[in-house]
């Protein structure tokens, strides 16, 4: 019997991911207002945040109930599912970290396309002075990015359980300090249990997510409502999409690796 058990590629990659995750959280421990937020602080109408919040709630509910098919029309779901199965099978056969890293490469390529699309949309709306009406488009695009990430790590996204995971990814990505740590803990617990919290209510979860998003995007959406100058506000769609894509990739990869490790330990 060997004195030392060989650490599997999945375990090694998981250990590396934990460090990357900790670095991500530490970087966001201090919330910093940018120059534009400070400059616009006394110019934003008092009712704008509640208006944004309502718009996000409506967008989430619409997409979750009837808009998923429209989003799926914008990418080849079946092809991506097949590609995941090939990468997953290759990793099982080859048993090396290179196979696992192939997942991240695919995700980065997908994120790049979605960021460009988000930027074009946001800046275009900003030039026209459209802020609030950009909310359904922005919401659809960020969900599109998360949906593709979930597919590329072998997870569905069309159940209440998966919507809980998705909403908390969004909450975590736009949060800082204690709120980020709390949400990250909720996500890690879900990854271990694959179950919803007791007395879970999806409407409340949507409302909490909408509240955090509206708070994060308040000043930028105000600026986006001003023709021409709004292009700057629209560009911030890309920044927040990037935050969400990064955190989404971390959490889905962690969930995938946790499943692999659990499978190895059960053998």
């Amino acid at each position: 019997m060997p004195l030392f058990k060989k650490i599997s590629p999945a375990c090694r990659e998981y250990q590396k991911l934990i460090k990357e995750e900790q670095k991500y959280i530490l970087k966001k421990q201090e919330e910093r207002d940018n120059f534009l937020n400070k400059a616009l602080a006394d110019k934003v109408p008092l009712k704008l945040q509640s208006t944004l919040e309502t718009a996000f709630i409506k967008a989430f509910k619409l997409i979750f109930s009837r808009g998923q098919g429209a989003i799926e029309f914008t990418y080849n779901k079946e092809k991506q599912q097949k590609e995941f199965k090939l990468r997953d099978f290759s990793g099982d056969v080859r048993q090396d970290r290179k196979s696992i890293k192939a997942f991240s490469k695919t995700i980065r390529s997908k994120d790049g396309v979605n960021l460009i699309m988000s930027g074009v949309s946001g800046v275009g709306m900003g030039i026209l002075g459209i802020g609030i009406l950009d909310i359904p488009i922005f919401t659809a695009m960020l969900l599109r990015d998360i949906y593709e990430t979930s597919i590329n790590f072998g997870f569905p996204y069309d159940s209440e359980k998966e919507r809980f995971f998705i909403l908390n990814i969004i909450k975590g990505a736009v949060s800082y300090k204690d709120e980020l740590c709390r949400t990250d803990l909720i996500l890690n617990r879900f990854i271990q249990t694959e179950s919803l919290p007791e007395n879970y209510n999806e409407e409340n979860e949507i409302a909490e997510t909408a509240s955090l998003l509206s708070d994060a995007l308040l000043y930028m959406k105000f600026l986006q409502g001003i023709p021409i100058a709004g292009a700057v506000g629209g560009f911030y769609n890309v920044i927040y999409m990037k935050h969400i894509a990064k955190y989404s990739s971390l959490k889905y990869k962690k969930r995938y690796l946790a499943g692999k490790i659990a499978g190895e330990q059960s053998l």
Side-chain angles (χ1 to χ4, degrees), residues 27-161:
K27 190 176 179 180
K28 293 191 71 181
Q29 281 305 298
E30 292 187 12
E31 183 176 6
R32 299 174 184 174
D33 279 340
N34 61 46
F35 171 77
L36 278 174
N37 284 5
K38 292 177 181 178
L40 297 170
D42 60 346
K43 297 178 175 62
V44 177
L46 294 176
K47 291 184 177 180
L48 180 59
Q49 185 162 351
S50 63
T51 302
L52 284 175
E53 191 172 328
T54 300
F56 273 119
I57 289 172
K58 288 180 178 178
F60 279 121
K61 286 184 175 180
L62 178 63
I63 294 168
F64 286 160
S65 62
R66 300 195 298 273
Q68 189 171 289
I71 293 177
E72 289 176 349
F73 186 73
T74 65
Y75 57 83
N76 193 327
K77 180 180 179 180
E78 185 176 343
K79 180 184 176 184
Q80 292 189 37
Q81 287 174 327
K82 289 179 179 177
E83 289 174 347
F84 159 75
K85 290 177 181 177
L86 287 171
R87 286 194 304 273
D88 190 48
F89 178 73
S90 174
D92 288 342
V93 172
R94 296 173 61 180
Q95 284 292 305
D96 61 3
R97 291 178 67 187
K98 184 177 180 181
S99 299
I100 297 174
K101 289 178 180 179
F103 285 86
S104 299
K105 185 177 180 181
T106 301
I107 296 299
R108 284 195 297 271
S109 175
K110 175 268 304 177
D111 286 344
V113 173
N114 288 334
L115 287 173
I116 291 171
M117 291 172 62
S118 177
V120 170
S121 170
V123 172
M125 290 285 196
I127 290 172
L128 297 174
I130 300 172
I132 301 298
L133 294 179
D134 179 48
I135 297 297
I137 298 173
F138 176 74
T139 305
M141 294 191 76
L142 73 86
L143 285 175
R144 178 187 191 271
D145 189 83
I146 295 174
Y147 286 172
E148 287 194 89
T149 300
S150 70
I151 293 170
N152 280 283
F153 280 110
F155 295 101
Y157 49 75
D158 53 0
S159 68
E160 184 180 47
K161 184 177 77 169

Side-chain angles (χ1 to χ4, degrees), residues 199-211:
N199 304 316
Y200 173 66
N201 183 293
E202 185 168 279
E203 286 206 5
N204 291 343
E205 200 70 43
I206 289 173
E208 285 182 21
T209 307
S211 176

